[in-house]
Amino acid sequence: GILDEYFVKKWSHDMQIWFGLFHSFFWFGFMQALILLVAQWNQEPSYTPMTDNAGPHGNQPAIANHQDNSSGEHDKAAHHSAENPMCINCKALGGLTAHMAGFASIHAWTHVQHAWAHHNSLLAFATIPCAGVYFAVMIYISGLVRKAKIKQDGSFTPDEEVWAEVAEENENDVAGLCLAYLTASSAAFTITHELHEGVTGRRKPGAVHGEHTADEAHERRLHGAAEHHTMLDIYYIAGAGLFMAMLVVVVVHVAWALESAKKK
């Protein structure tokens, strides 16, 4: 936004990449902290804390000081209810910051993709697994932080449970947004031999950063430089989009089937 317009664009391309990755990391961490603060602020004192279960992960909920587990399950269902302000606020603000982290990550990794494609067009595809490793490391670290926080007070409280669940869901959203964009961009690059950057318009992989003038970039954003695409290119892109949509359906059904098999 403002920083990018008045400061970041004046830096070298390498500095822009490092700043973009830091920007992505900042919003990823801010999302975690905000969800926890919102959960703690909206926690109702009537809920019974859950002690830490000595399982392999050390953060599985168990009911403490209850004659039976039915009341604990009732409390758990209550604070996960769609009518619970804690759950609603955590998901709303968590989803907002997840999208901010996702778009910051897209911006950062798009810069990486263009920089690598400048040296070798095949490296444009390497950003997908590299970004996957980047998110896997951040998700792993944030998981360790959550476990340390939960073990700190020796109990798995309702606010911590909602924090863990919403944070994990939003982490997947952040990674999914960025990896999906990089995959779509790589697929389009295979067909059109051009990489698209949402902020500065479209340019060829060998182009120097900032080669297009502001007017040219604005024109390309408006019209998408479609005059350079053949109808065959358009058909290929449409086919790639249809294939990815079908792939989503297949993956969702497989994931649902595996989850159902675990519960049996």
Side-chain angles (χ1 to χ4, degrees):
I2 297 175
L3 286 176
D4 189 61
E5 182 67 26
Y6 292 100
F7 297 101
V8 179
K9 285 185 177 180
K10 299 177 182 179
W11 299 347
S12 67
H13 196 47
D14 289 341
M15 283 296 296
Q16 291 185 37
I17 290 175
W18 285 112
F19 177 79
L21 293 175
F22 170 77
H23 191 212
S24 166
F25 177 80
F26 168 80
W27 282 113
F28 196 88
F30 182 80
M31 174 187 71
Q32 308 279 345
L34 181 63
I35 295 172
L36 176 60
L37 290 175
V38 172
Q40 291 178 335
W41 183 265
N42 289 272
Q43 182 177 200
E44 296 184 15
S46 59
Y47 292 134
T48 304
M50 302 178 185
T51 59
D52 187 31
N53 188 18
H57 301 292
N59 63 348
Q60 299 300 319
I63 307 303
N65 302 324
H66 272 279
Q67 295 180 350
D68 56 41
N69 286 348
S70 60
S71 59
E73 290 299 324
H74 175 74
D75 285 348
K76 180 179 178 180
H79 66 255
H80 279 279
S81 170
E83 298 178 357
N84 189 299
M86 177 171 62
C87 188
I88 293 173
N89 293 334
C90 283
K91 289 189 174 183
L93 294 175
L96 173 64
T97 50
H99 280 78
M100 296 171 76
F103 293 139
S105 301
I106 288 174
H107 189 74
W109 281 98
T110 299
H111 276 297
V112 175
Q113 191 175 51
H114 278 264
W116 289 3
H118 178 81
H119 298 288
N120 188 327
S121 59
L122 294 178
L123 290 178
F125 304 96
T127 54
I128 301 172
C130 289
V133 172
Y134 167 80
F135 285 115
V137 170
M138 288 212 300
I139 290 172
Y140 177 75
I141 293 174
S142 62
L144 292 179
V145 172
R146 284 196 298 272
K147 288 180 183 179
K149 172 66 174 66
I150 291 169
K151 288 183 177 180
Q152 190 176 33
D153 56 7
S155 63
F156 196 40
T157 56
D159 61 307
E160 292 172 340
E161 186 177 359
V162 171
W163 173 43
E165 181 174 320
V166 175
E168 289 175 3
E169 181 181 340
N170 287 332
E171 287 169 352
N172 294 334
D173 288 343
V174 174
L177 280 171
C178 184
L179 294 175
Y181 183 89
L182 292 175
T183 302
S185 178
S186 298
F189 174 65
T190 304
I191 298 167
T192 66
H193 307 292
E194 290 182 329
L195 285 172
H196 184 271
E197 188 174 10
V199 177
T200 59
R202 188 185 301 272
R203 69 172 186 266
K204 295 181 180 179
V208 179
H209 179 70
E211 177 181 319
H212 296 302
T213 65
D215 291 339
E216 288 174 337
H218 179 67
E219 186 70 16
R220 286 168 177 267
R221 283 199 303 271
L222 289 177
H223 303 291
E227 67 274 10
H228 299 297
H229 298 159
T230 65
M231 287 303 298
L232 188 60
D233 288 341
I234 296 174
Y235 290 147
Y236 279 146
I237 293 174
L242 181 61
F243 170 77
M244 291 181 182
M246 295 175 62
L247 185 62
V248 168
V249 174
V250 172
V251 170
V252 169
H253 277 279
V254 170
W256 177 82
L258 293 174
E259 189 68 23
S260 299
K262 288 181 180 179
K263 293 180 180 180
K264 292 181 180 179

